[in-house]
Amino acid sequence: MYPSNDPKLRSFIPVDPDSHFPIQNLPFGVFRPKAGGPPRIGTAIGDLVLDLALLEKKRFFKNFFLLPDLLIFSRPNLSNFMALSRPVWIDIRSQISRLLSGADPTLRDDSRLRGQAFYKQSEVDMLLPVEVLDYTDFYSSKEHATNVGAMFRGRENALMPNWLHLPVAYHGRTSSIVVSGTEIRRPCGQTKKDDAPDPTFGPSRMLDFELEMGFFIAKENPLGWPVPVNEAQYHIFGMVLVNDWSARDIQRWEYQPLGPFLGKNFATSISPWVVTLEALDPFRTSGPVQDPSPLPYLQNSGDRSYDIQLEVWLQGQSMPEPHRISRTNYKYLYWDMFQQVAHHTINGCNLRLGDLIASGTISGADPSSYGSLLELAWQGTKPIQLPNGETRVALLDGDRLTLTGWCQGDGYRVGFGEVTGTIVPAG
Ligand code: MN
């Protein structure tokens, strides 16, 4: 097997040290050339996109499971590829790595083929990578849950009694999951001020983002059969950045007793490149100590988390460039992905290929590492300062919000690119 994760590996395609897409990454995404043509699957390398559908048609990939006529990359989503299971993903990634390293000179030495197979990233539109069947959003950051609880219930009762014993979650909606770059229309709804007797209707005045990451399920479990925590990794294909846009004023009035609804389901944005667990493997790290110890079905040890640096950037309409408003890390999450899968299925609930499972807002301990405006501006009481003199307690029309994240290697980064969205006025 080709050593795809070797830190010393280099591609014949030049890649900057701070690019998110060196040969050690090789994420999968769906793109369409701006010049035309059907959607298809590619991988990112430096500033380029490699058309895997073309290489597939030319029979570059060889695998026991790949029948000659089975096209997995000439598709508008990753489902067929994800269905092939982890040994195949690893083998195909290794073959792509070999081609891009030049160890196999086929691509390196054929300028005509290279002209057909590579696109500049600026020459393509990225599409949703996966047809998302179900969407679950966890609430796995202890710092975030504590902050929100302190605002709504006071410091003494910040964490609900169940929080340290199980990863809390709610079922979201898939129809409004959109790819990075999609404009976000300000939602309207019912809101009620604390001192007002009745609710009023209108555009949300407390529009917020939530910095999250999510993962896609590929291997299904049958209804009635839980996934053990130590097998969960074989069910997960890869990860993306997630912005769980939230209308706090709508959420606050509607959420009891059944939880989030219209304050959340108007839009959820994801980054277009799915970074595989294989590419993330060198960046595994221990998570926070769990005290009290979870029940046995949730017990997980060793390097159960990932060291992924995360940043939030905001650019208002009159700002010449984006300004970083938060910096945090995925490794701060209390509950890990494998515990989330184990808990989600412990009652026999079946996860399906294409399910998106998100982490919940990722906040660190320091106020500069909070993952939402609700926390950064502490419920409107501490407006954040922007370099042009403006302040924010909520997102304004015209604001462009960008989440980005990467794992830092020695001289290279395995990154997620970004997920961005601009707020447009209510309809
Ligand atoms: Mn959320």
Side-chain angles (χ1 to χ4, degrees):
M1 186 79 70
Y2 201 67
S4 318
N5 283 346
D6 184 345
K8 294 196 188 67
L9 204 60
R10 291 292 176 268
S11 173
F12 64 85
I13 302 287
V15 178
D16 286 343
D18 58 355
S19 167
H20 283 197
F21 307 114
I23 195 168
Q24 287 82 3
N25 190 344
L26 304 182
F28 293 94
V30 175
F31 74 98
R32 183 163 46 204
K34 284 180 174 159
R40 70 202 73 171
I41 292 166
T43 189
I45 179 81
D47 296 330
L48 303 180
V49 175
L50 174 60
D51 185 343
L52 297 177
L54 181 79
L55 301 189
E56 170 180 70
K57 281 180 190 142
K58 291 187 178 289
R59 308 241 192 271
F60 273 42
F61 302 119
K62 294 172 181 63
N63 183 283
F64 178 76
F65 292 96
L66 293 186
L67 304 171
D69 296 326
L70 177 71
L71 296 178
I72 51 170
F73 293 131
S74 308
R75 302 270 179 183
N77 59 57
L78 289 168
S79 299
N80 284 59
F81 181 48
M82 288 162 69
L84 291 175
S85 86
R86 172 169 268 199
V88 184
W89 311 332
I90 292 177
D91 180 39
I92 297 292
R93 176 168 177 266
S94 158
Q95 293 185 39
I96 298 168
S97 177
R98 205 158 179 277
L99 282 169
L100 283 172
S101 73
D104 176 335
T106 323
L107 198 54
R108 186 194 64 199
D109 293 352
D110 188 339
S111 61
R112 191 160 162 273
L113 177 62
R114 284 202 312 278
Q116 297 172 328
F118 287 104
Y119 294 83
K120 289 181 182 155
Q121 287 194 15
S122 56
E123 291 172 350
V124 305
D125 288 319
M126 297 303 298
L127 309 175
L128 270 183
V130 173
E131 189 186 8
V132 187
L133 284 193
D134 266 314
Y135 166 41
T136 301
D137 195 15
F138 275 87
Y139 192 57
S140 289
S141 158
K142 188 177 176 186
E143 290 80 3
H144 173 70
T146 304
N147 286 339
V148 174
M151 284 177 218
F152 289 7
R153 289 184 297 275
R155 278 274 166 213
E156 300 300 297
N157 309 304
L159 274 189
M160 298 295 275
N162 58 4
W163 200 93
L164 290 170
H165 297 279
L166 57 86
V168 170
Y170 71 94
H171 282 306
R173 188 163 177 85
T174 59
S175 62
S176 52
I177 293 177
V178 294
V179 74
S180 174
T182 307
E183 288 183 336
I184 303 301
R185 187 161 300 282
R186 179 179 298 275
C188 289
Q190 281 196 30
T191 60
K192 186 185 146 323
K193 291 197 168 137
D194 284 341
D195 52 2
D198 296 308
T200 55
F201 177 83
S204 167
R205 288 179 302 269
M206 289 301 285
L207 189 52
D208 198 356
F209 69 90
E210 288 189 340
L211 165 60
E212 306 196 14
M213 296 201 69
F215 59 88
F216 286 109
I217 293 293
K219 184 181 174 188
E220 309 192 335
N221 62 303
L223 183 64
W225 293 90
V227 177
V229 67
N230 58 3
E231 288 178 22
Q233 60 179 317
Y234 302 110
H235 292 253
I236 298 171
F237 178 71
M239 297 179 75
V240 290
L241 298 161
V242 178
N243 184 346
D244 181 25
W245 304 97
S246 301
R248 300 297 177 195
D249 42 1
I250 296 173
Q251 181 184 357
R252 198 185 162 96
W253 171 233
E254 75 175 358
Y255 86 103
Q256 287 175 321
L258 288 186
F261 186 42
L262 303 178
K264 295 281 191 177
N265 69 8
F266 59 94
T268 306
S269 301
I270 67 171
S271 54
W273 293 108
V274 186
V275 179
T276 62
L277 285 201
E278 285 69 48
L280 295 172
D281 203 50
F283 304 98
R284 284 183 82 136
T285 185
S286 57
V289 173
Q290 294 185 313
D291 182 22
S293 185
L295 288 168
Y297 80 93
L298 287 171
Q299 280 172 14
N300 196 9
S301 58
D303 288 342
R304 61 189 188 88
S305 192
Y306 293 87
D307 185 353
I308 306 172
Q309 303 185 36
L310 297 165
E311 293 184 348
V312 185
W313 295 74
L314 174 64
Q315 183 173 16
Q317 252 174 334
S318 60
M319 290 166 63
E321 53 189 25
H323 173 68
R324 191 176 64 206
I325 59 171
S326 180
R327 199 175 181 184
T328 185
N329 196 302
Y330 181 83
K331 69 182 176 187
Y332 299 149
L333 284 177
Y334 190 84
W335 298 104
D336 62 64
M337 287 192 280
F338 315 111
Q339 292 173 321
Q340 289 166 347
V341 169
H343 184 65
H344 204 313
T345 60
I346 193 61
N347 64 346
C349 173
N350 52 325
L351 299 180
R352 292 184 295 177
L353 190 157
D355 285 0
L356 173 65
I357 300 187
S359 59
T361 308
I362 304 168
S363 292
D366 187 88
S368 66
S369 64
Y370 292 166
S372 66
L373 270 177
L374 177 70
E375 295 162 274
L376 288 166
W378 206 259
Q379 219 180 358
T381 61
K382 296 178 183 165
I384 61 165
Q385 300 288 329
L386 299 174
N388 65 348
E390 293 180 18
T391 61
R392 288 291 185 283
V393 298
L395 296 172
L396 301 181
D397 290 346
D399 281 357
R400 179 181 157 90
L401 199 287
T402 302
L403 312 178
T404 184
W406 69 91
C407 306
Q408 186 65 55
D410 186 7
Y412 68 100
R413 287 176 170 185
V414 170
F416 291 82
E418 61 179 37
V419 56
T420 188
T422 301
I423 309 301
V424 298

